[in-house]
Amino acid sequence: VKRALLAPLLAAFACSSTGSILPGGDFSGPSGLAVARLADRNLLFVANEGSNELRALMLCNSAAGAPTTCTPKEDFHFLPAPNRLFPASILVGERPLRLAGAPLVDAASVPHGAVLVAGSDAVLRVVDAANVLAASQDKTVTAEPPRVVPLPAAPVDVVATDVSGQVVTAIAVSQAPAGGNAALTVFRVTLDANGLAEATRTQRCALDFAPAKLALVGGRDDPQTRDDLLGDGRPRYVYVADGTVTGTAAQPIVAGGRGDGAVEVSVADIPPFVDDDANIPACGVTRRLPASDPADSPRRPRPLRSIALSPAFVATDGGPRVAGGTYLLGATLGTADLCGDAGVRACRADLRVDAGAVCADHGTPRCGAGALILLNTNVGGQSTVARAPPTPISASTGLPMAPLHPPTPAREVAFMGRDDCPAGQLPPCTLLRVGVGIASTPPTLRVPLIGLASTENGGTVFVKALDRTFFNELRDSGVAPDPLPSISTIGLVPQPAPGVPLTQLTFPDPAIDPNTQMPFPSQSLVGWMNAGVSRDASWRVVWHATIPGLESVSGSVSRTGSTIRLVLPGKDLNPWVAAPGIRLGPGDFVRAISFAAPPGTTLCADLQSPATSIDVPITAVRPGSPGSPAELDLQAVTGFDPSASCFVPGVGGTFEVHAGTTAAGPWMVFEGLDLLGRVPHGVQFVVTGPRFDYPLTNYSAPPPANDPVLAFTISGREPVPGQDPAGLFLGFSTFGGQLFPGTSREVITTVRDISNAGQPGFAGPILVYSSPREPDPIVFTALTGANGLQRSRPAQLGTADSAVVFY
Amino acid sequence: MPRSTALLTGLLCACSFPAAPTLLPPPFGPDPGRPEPARFFFPNGIAIDPAGWVVVANANGNREFDAGAAYSLRSADLLQYFPPGTAAGTIPFPAAALAGKAMIGNYTGPLVLAAGTAYSASRDSNRLNAVALDPATGALSCRTGAAVEVGNEDCRAGVIDLSNAARVEGPFGIAVGKVLAPGAAAEVDVAVLVSSLVPRIDQIQSGVAFTSSHLAALDARDPSNVLFDATVTDRLRGGGVGAGSMVYDDLTREVILVGCYTRFGSASAGGEPSTLKCASNSGSNILRFVPVDAGSSAAPRLYELGAQLRATDTPGLALGNLEVVTTPPAAPRRLRTLYVATRTPDTIARIRVPVDDPALAPFADSIVPVGSQPSQVLRLQRPPDRPGTELVAVTAVATYQTSTANGKLILVDGTLGQVVGQVDGLGDTPAQIAQFPPQAGEASARLAITVFGSCRLSLVDVPYDRPNAASIVANLGSCP
């Protein structure tokens, strides 16, 4: 086993000592995770999707000090192959992707777990974990091939109840075949006459959307304490993430309907299994749990890629037990209608912007993919998106919360919480240690319910679910107050000559409500930045910038009088004219790059070496239409005034197009790579954006889902054409409080391998595990992109061996 | 013997020794007097001519021979292996289907067919191989400028030295496009566009190489005629890195390039500059757009997607559809889709390029980890009577320890952003993919895939409606 100790792994200043071991090849695209319980140990199965196999780690499960046949040398080590030199490789068909552990017991109540495998062929495979272990330990035992159960199409996901018994219920969901529907199939998992695990199809029904993930309510392995099970041990409900991202005329995507949230299916009402793939009956009793809210403006469906249901928990000592399944945490898929949803738009009426101000929204990153949404399931009623703080999470009215965005998009989600505390602990007893490397004494927080999300950068982030915010290393360790956004120093490039007044940015002061003499909540900080809205970004405000996409436009040139006409037969300029952030038009200018003579001729002297720094004004723009090429009329100026005789037919020219001093403004505002808009000198520019977190400890009222990100006015000396270079810019950064300024390390509590080995990221499924030996939950996260498996103990972060990555 | 006599004798002996024998590739040699039958040897580039020919370039990747070879195979003979029927398994090289052959350079990359000529560039010699395909017989003959030397099958010299003529070193990426030169009345409607994988050294300062990479456009009517060469990256723009895959987007008349290769002084190469993929942890992944109508004055537009893709190495690129997003009251907006394969992490990513708002940069909106090392990407064409979501085929290898023998084809539903099928057992390092022209009524896409290390061509059937049922129908050829 190769593993990298990740000390102290939390995104802390001090975490430079990551033990970095290059991938050893034991994992190849690890994805699905599942635990199969056995007598003296549990087996953590990892789906190696790249090499069509499972690997298994042995986890000794008896309480510390209790006699066991599972040795310390075996604990957290790979199940060996019979030759002992390599980890066992359990072949399970093409591309195993999702796993579920079935906690079977035999007639003597001895644990005899199995694992169910969903891959890319249209079957479900059943692997008998006891047989696999026996074959590993005893060469006389034959490792039996997995049992195979047909499905109507390739499976998407599989889940199983976590209450042990001689019969365990599992449920798989399969893709929709062409012209058909996705299907849920319920299995009865048992041991056959030979003592090997098998699965029998018992119920099946069809779904009219694209399923992405299944979830059941989890909890203690004690049927007496479970309120999510039917009398026969089957789960009361199975939850299906709706991952429909494209609709059809017949089956459109609608907010509150298809493509929005998850669907709860009553297991008891799924029709009995009939072996007829062509006629699968619809799931009878279902309830949709939309991830959008009627109060969203605009309301847009939110398809989900991953979901998890909260386990039962107790929030306070002596407080009521909150039933399992009360909350649903979902990670969103991106949707096309959020792609490119940025740019200049009308200023929000309730913002007290200056007259004539330019407002632009910077849109939803990555088309909304990888955001986290929390729902009140309200079983038996109408589910709701959790309300925004300070409204209690259990409330059904008020402003809905905006999706939370981790520093990089979320991939998979899970919960941690419990309703039975270990001896000596009082509720709430789900523990998380924060502030490692920051606080002199990192506190261990006692929390009722923790949400977990794996992210594209390979991290696992922690969500303070009931507060609807990410855990924050500074705030929650008491090192610093609430995180507030900030602005770096501003650089002017190039610097002006000595004695020349500076061009500057002026950030507005907080806007004061005359009635209360208090700042308006959305405009209470300098620059109208907002915690949880203003994000980490780099900004450039560029004077007379080259217009994106028009860095080199070419066509034929001619001259009539003082007008030089550039005809662009291969270019449609309509997007540049229409884009509100660009508004190409008269007053913008070009600079010549080169000219080309017709074949067999030479250029006149005026065009052979054109002055490339002369601003040639555009006097007219005809953007082009079918049959009519785009044209720019240019005004000859001193320095670029070629003789009319130069423009023989066939002379071509290539030009660079710049924003000029027009009504749209000579300044272009870039956030990262995106041009947000143009703005005149001395005019206020206000950037708005979607909320990504609720990081403040106290809110007087629910903050809007979309709020100001930053506002400024370009002030001081206005650059002068001919004196100042085009491309002069003011550059600065904003820090939103999710990362430590100047680093890629998170301020929000994260476990991540920051060594080179962990850089590929793309964390996948999360498994929360505990046993008598490990009373505090362990979090396993598959690092699909980095070919690793991360193990962390949230209660002990920062201590030795509290975070490890197996490669 | 006096020393001078001995020296003279030695020199004479040396001079009288025959030069190393020329080892021509099959089926021309190695011994021209007794040539070996045709077989695949490091097949890489492949393209399918609608007139009924499959053209494959053997890259001679181990330099077993002194040249590579291009073959043309009769499509009808290969199509017989597709369903209905049973999989043919691994069968010998289809000698009966071989209609044309020609010697070409080594280390050929992707291959394109343009106006009846197959083009593929040799990275070692910087030469562009151009072999004319007779649409009637499938015979291959050398191009020399505007002419075709009918019957001449020794095309090793190529048609042009791209390094000398167009500053393109280590040519690899290749595409067919249209070029309208500034001021020209008519466009060159078939231009061969070639980009450099190996950066060109412009200057060495204090032992540091400053490099640039370039794009050449050649006139398919006379591929020795360079229409223009343009700088794609240099020391100030993109760090001068070379590119791998490229495509031409007819909508915007731009070449789009991905991949990252650097050049540096190497002690192991005796101080000679070496070329390597960029460091995987550099955090940089530059998407490059080059407007071809600007010719040599083209200013590339570069976008850094490293923070989104988390990968530096992007070996595969394919042009997806043009999606129109309609969300009233906003005006409909078009998004150009690109599919890329990345390494470390191994993913298939969908990139959106806003067409109607040039203010916005491209962004990755779907990234699917695939667990295997993906390489080349092909967007599958559907026949008109089989509409559906966008299917993307990706060659990949599941490397275990150091073995590259577990090649596979991964099928991704580009619309859903999900892997929907996988074909295992493709062999050692599957490379390029080509699709037989889809016909109305067909239920499957029929693919031919070069398998670089297994000396074969694999034929794969991909049902449009059940891509998870995709399968190998035949493996043609094997290594000796």
Side-chain angles (χ1 to χ4, degrees):
Chain A
V1 175
K2 297 183 177 178
R3 49 186 189 173
L5 290 174
L6 304 180
L9 229 210
L10 296 175
F13 291 119
C15 53
S16 59
S17 58
T18 53
S20 168
I21 296 178
L22 292 176
D26 290 326
F27 292 116
S28 175
S31 50
L33 304 174
V35 165
R37 299 177 199 164
L38 298 173
D40 65 344
R41 71 198 67 196
N42 297 334
L43 293 183
L44 170 64
F45 284 89
V46 182
N48 251 356
E49 63 171 286
S51 46
N52 301 342
E53 63 178 4
L54 305 184
R55 293 284 168 92
L57 280 171
M58 295 178 286
L59 316 177
C60 298
N61 59 16
S62 60
T68 177
T69 53
C70 185
T71 68
K73 286 186 176 179
E74 295 175 304
D75 199 16
F76 287 106
H77 283 69
F78 280 114
L79 180 76
N83 69 7
R84 325 308 289 174
L85 296 177
F86 299 105
S89 169
I90 302 135
L91 300 179
V92 286
E94 288 179 0
R95 198 170 180 264
L97 197 63
R98 302 285 190 184
L99 305 179
L104 287 171
V105 296
D106 63 15
S109 296
V110 175
H112 187 122
V115 64
L116 311 171
V117 185
S120 63
D121 42 5
V123 297
L124 185 74
R125 288 183 169 81
V126 185
V127 175
D128 188 296
N131 170 251
V132 167
L133 176 64
S136 170
Q137 295 175 325
D138 182 350
K139 289 181 180 176
T140 66
V141 176
T142 301
E144 298 294 334
R147 299 291 175 86
V148 176
V149 189
L151 291 171
V156 174
D157 196 13
V158 59
V159 290
T161 54
D162 58 356
V163 175
S164 56
Q166 293 185 37
V167 177
V168 170
T169 301
I171 303 172
V173 65
S174 48
Q175 297 172 359
N181 284 319
L184 277 176
T185 304
V186 182
F187 299 87
R188 177 184 160 91
V189 185
T190 56
L191 298 179
D192 68 7
N194 297 316
L196 290 173
E198 65 176 4
T200 307
R201 295 169 291 184
T202 57
Q203 298 166 272
R204 188 159 72 175
C205 66
L207 301 167
D208 63 352
F209 57 88
K213 189 86 168 63
L214 294 178
L216 299 174
V217 176
R220 277 192 269 171
D221 186 7
D222 176 7
Q224 305 305 317
T225 65
R226 299 289 290 265
D227 38 28
D228 55 292
L229 301 177
L230 298 168
D232 58 4
R234 286 180 297 163
R236 199 173 291 277
Y237 302 107
V238 59
Y239 294 84
V240 189
D242 185 345
T244 312
V245 292
T246 56
T248 63
Q251 294 188 321
I253 293 175
V254 290
R258 182 183 290 103
D260 192 3
V263 170
E264 176 191 84
V265 179
S266 167
V267 173
D269 294 297
I270 296 176
F273 176 77
V274 176
D275 198 359
D276 180 2
D277 290 351
N279 295 291
I280 302 174
C283 295
V285 179
T286 63
R287 183 172 69 105
R288 181 164 288 275
L289 290 71
S292 70
D293 192 274
D296 291 337
S297 179
R299 186 181 187 188
R300 287 170 164 154
R302 294 185 179 123
L304 299 180
R305 64 175 301 132
S306 180
I307 54 173
L309 276 299
S310 62
F313 65 92
V314 178
T316 57
D317 185 19
R321 173 181 177 275
V322 180
T326 297
Y327 301 110
L328 183 149
L329 181 64
T332 57
L333 284 160
T335 54
D337 61 355
L338 289 176
C339 291
D341 185 23
V344 171
R345 58 196 58 181
C347 295
R348 218 171 80 190
D350 64 322
L351 294 179
R352 288 140 289 274
V353 301
D354 293 349
V358 178
C359 294
D361 196 276
H362 68 182
T364 307
R366 304 284 293 278
C367 309
L372 301 173
I373 190 79
L374 195 63
L375 308 181
N376 279 299
T377 58
N378 192 19
V379 173
Q382 175 59 55
S383 70
T384 57
V385 174
R387 302 293 98 180
T391 308
I393 189 171
S394 56
S396 57
T397 58
L399 205 59
M401 71 174 282
L404 305 180
H405 289 261
T408 59
R411 307 281 304 173
E412 301 278 350
V413 291
F415 271 114
M416 287 168 55
R418 53 189 175 188
D419 58 351
D420 61 328
C421 293
Q425 293 186 29
L426 296 173
C429 53
T430 300
L431 309 179
L432 178 66
R433 193 160 184 256
V434 299
V436 176
I438 301 171
S440 55
T441 307
T444 300
L445 308 177
R446 296 165 52 207
V447 192
L449 185 66
I450 296 175
L452 300 144
S454 61
T455 58
E456 285 190 359
N457 67 357
T460 303
V461 299
F462 296 81
V463 179
K464 198 183 282 188
L466 301 186
D467 293 339
R468 289 139 285 175
T469 185
F470 294 105
F471 282 93
N472 184 291
E473 290 292 279
L474 296 168
R475 179 196 62 204
D476 295 326
S477 65
V479 168
D482 286 347
L484 295 178
S486 58
I487 306 171
S488 71
T489 55
I490 296 160
L492 174 62
V493 180
Q495 280 283 307
V500 176
L502 285 174
T503 305
Q504 306 176 69
L505 292 182
T506 302
F507 298 97
D509 289 329
I512 304 298
D513 184 342
N515 297 321
T516 65
Q517 293 304 306
M518 296 291 289
F520 291 104
S522 294
Q523 295 163 288
S524 61
L525 299 176
V526 170
W528 298 352
M529 299 182 81
N530 274 284
V533 179
S534 303
R535 59 195 186 198
D536 300 275
S538 60
W539 301 78
R540 284 179 304 130
V541 184
V542 188
W543 181 74
H544 283 187
T546 307
I547 295 178
L550 301 180
E551 295 86 353
S552 51
V553 295
S554 294
S556 59
V557 283
S558 60
R559 179 165 185 167
T560 304
S562 63
T563 298
I564 297 167
R565 179 159 297 167
L566 172 61
V567 181
L568 305 165
K571 196 78 180 177
D572 174 11
L573 290 177
N574 282 289
W576 283 266
V577 172
I582 296 179
R583 295 167 62 189
L584 172 68
D588 293 326
F589 64 88
V590 303
R591 287 181 168 183
I593 298 174
S594 66
F595 289 93
T601 68
T602 56
L603 287 171
C604 71
D606 289 353
L607 297 182
Q608 283 181 0
S609 298
T612 56
S613 60
I614 299 296
D615 299 349
V616 184
I618 296 171
T619 55
V621 177
R622 286 175 288 281
S625 58
S628 177
E631 295 177 346
L632 295 177
D633 284 352
L634 311 175
Q635 176 66 50
V637 294
T638 302
F640 184 76
D641 193 7
S643 162
S645 63
C646 291
F647 296 96
V648 298
V651 168
T654 304
F655 297 85
E656 182 179 77
V657 184
H658 287 253
T661 304
T662 68
W667 294 94
M668 283 187 157
V669 181
F670 291 87
E671 182 190 16
L673 298 172
D674 287 335
L675 167 60
L676 293 185
R678 292 176 67 166
V679 62
H681 196 87
V683 171
Q684 191 176 48
F685 194 80
V686 181
V687 183
T688 56
R691 175 169 294 279
F692 62 79
D693 193 9
Y694 295 91
L696 303 184
T697 307
N698 294 302
Y699 286 95
S700 57
N706 187 290
D707 241 355
V709 171
L710 181 69
F712 59 80
T713 304
I714 304 154
S715 57
R717 173 179 174 270
E718 181 170 6
V720 179
Q723 293 182 19
D724 294 286
L728 171 151
F729 72 94
L730 296 144
F732 62 100
S733 297
T734 51
F735 308 108
Q738 283 198 323
L739 302 176
F740 285 110
T743 77
S744 63
R745 296 175 186 168
E746 287 85 346
V747 171
I748 67 168
T749 302
T750 304
V751 179
R752 179 161 75 96
D753 181 0
I754 59 171
S755 74
N756 281 347
Q759 289 304 301
F762 282 94
I766 304 170
L767 187 144
V768 179
Y769 169 82
S770 61
S771 71
R773 173 163 299 209
E774 302 284 353
D776 282 326
I778 292 178
V779 174
F780 290 101
T781 307
L783 304 183
T784 310
N787 292 322
L789 174 69
Q790 181 174 280
R791 186 197 75 192
S792 61
R793 293 178 161 85
Q796 302 166 27
L797 292 178
T799 62
D801 209 31
S802 65
V804 175
V805 175
F806 299 82
Y807 287 111
Chain B
M1 185 185 293
R3 188 174 297 177
S4 57
T5 307
L7 179 62
L8 183 62
T9 305
L11 287 171
L12 285 171
C13 287
C15 293
S16 67
F17 278 13
T22 297
L23 300 175
L24 299 182
F28 302 95
D31 178 356
R34 290 184 301 159
E36 291 180 0
R39 63 179 172 86
F40 293 120
F41 52 104
F42 293 99
N44 193 0
I46 183 171
I48 298 177
D49 184 84
W53 307 104
V54 179
V55 183
V56 178
N58 294 288
N60 191 31
N62 62 351
R63 281 192 178 270
E64 181 181 0
F65 308 107
D66 287 337
Y71 296 160
S72 66
L73 304 160
R74 197 171 289 104
S75 292
D77 289 1
L78 306 188
L79 288 171
Q80 66 174 317
Y81 296 109
F82 284 88
T86 56
T90 299
I91 57 178
F93 178 86
L98 184 67
K101 58 190 185 306
M103 286 185 281
I104 58 174
N106 299 309
Y107 296 122
T108 46
L111 182 145
V112 293
L113 280 165
T117 297
Y119 295 93
S120 185
S122 286
R123 290 198 301 288
D124 59 341
S125 64
N126 300 323
R127 301 191 75 87
L128 181 67
N129 301 289
V131 180
L133 170 69
D134 185 324
T137 66
L140 298 177
S141 306
C142 305
R143 284 290 298 266
T144 52
V148 175
E149 287 190 86
V150 176
N152 183 0
E153 296 176 326
D154 186 355
C155 313
R156 284 178 286 177
V159 72
I160 186 172
D161 182 334
L162 292 165
S163 176
N164 288 330
R167 298 185 294 167
V168 172
E169 295 187 13
F172 182 78
I174 192 163
V176 180
K178 299 176 180 177
V179 171
L180 179 62
E187 66 185 5
V188 175
D189 60 355
V190 186
V192 181
L193 303 150
V194 191
S195 66
S196 49
L197 181 146
V198 176
R200 185 183 185 87
I201 295 179
D202 299 325
Q203 195 177 17
I204 296 179
Q205 287 183 0
S206 304
V208 177
F210 292 103
T211 60
S212 60
S213 67
H214 302 271
L215 172 77
L218 310 166
D219 189 341
R221 293 167 298 192
D222 176 1
S224 65
N225 175 26
V226 178
L227 295 169
F228 69 84
D229 69 84
T231 300
V232 180
T233 61
D234 57 26
R235 61 184 292 189
L236 298 177
R237 293 176 297 187
V241 300
S245 289
M246 61 181 260
V247 295
Y248 170 79
D249 184 355
D250 197 41
L251 178 72
T252 57
R253 303 177 73 94
E254 290 178 319
V255 168
I256 306 169
L257 304 100
V258 296
C260 187
Y261 296 84
T262 58
R263 204 157 182 202
F264 60 95
S266 167
S268 62
E272 286 294 309
S274 294
T275 305
L276 269 183
K277 286 184 174 179
C278 301
S280 62
N281 59 355
S282 70
S284 176
N285 192 313
I286 302 172
L287 187 62
R288 284 145 263 184
F289 294 78
V290 182
V292 296
D293 288 347
S296 56
S297 296
R301 211 164 71 253
L302 310 182
Y303 294 102
E304 176 58 84
L305 295 184
Q308 296 180 43
L309 297 175
R310 303 193 62 74
T312 298
D313 187 7
T314 308
L317 169 68
L319 202 61
N321 67 2
L322 188 69
E323 185 165 341
V324 180
V325 178
T326 308
T327 48
R333 54 189 191 279
R334 296 173 295 171
L335 297 168
R336 166 60 83 197
T337 304
L338 302 174
Y339 295 101
V340 296
T342 73
R343 292 292 331 281
T344 325
D346 299 328
T347 73
I348 312 297
R350 183 176 65 206
I351 294 172
R352 306 286 203 175
V353 184
V355 173
D356 292 318
D357 193 345
L360 302 180
F363 47 85
D365 78 325
S366 168
I367 303 175
V368 187
V370 291
S372 302
Q373 301 164 7
S375 176
Q376 302 304 306
V377 184
L378 178 76
R379 175 194 173 210
L380 303 188
Q381 304 294 321
R382 286 175 175 270
D385 58 343
R386 286 276 176 181
T389 55
E390 201 157 52
L391 280 176
V392 177
V394 184
T395 50
V397 171
T399 299
Y400 182 70
Q401 304 299 359
T402 58
S403 170
T404 57
N406 298 314
K408 58 179 69 172
L409 186 74
I410 296 173
L411 298 158
V412 176
D413 185 316
T415 309
L416 293 175
Q418 291 178 356
V419 174
V420 290
Q422 176 174 299
V423 180
D424 282 299
L426 270 187
D428 191 344
T429 319
Q432 309 285 335
I433 315 165
Q435 182 181 5
F436 289 94
Q439 309 292 329
E442 288 176 349
S444 295
R446 298 170 302 176
L447 309 182
I449 301 168
T450 53
V451 186
F452 192 75
S454 292
C455 314
R456 71 185 183 212
L457 193 64
S458 287
L459 304 179
V460 175
D461 180 85
V462 181
Y464 293 113
D465 295 339
R466 293 180 301 116
N468 68 312
S471 61
I472 299 173
V473 299
N475 292 318
L476 308 179
S478 58
C479 296

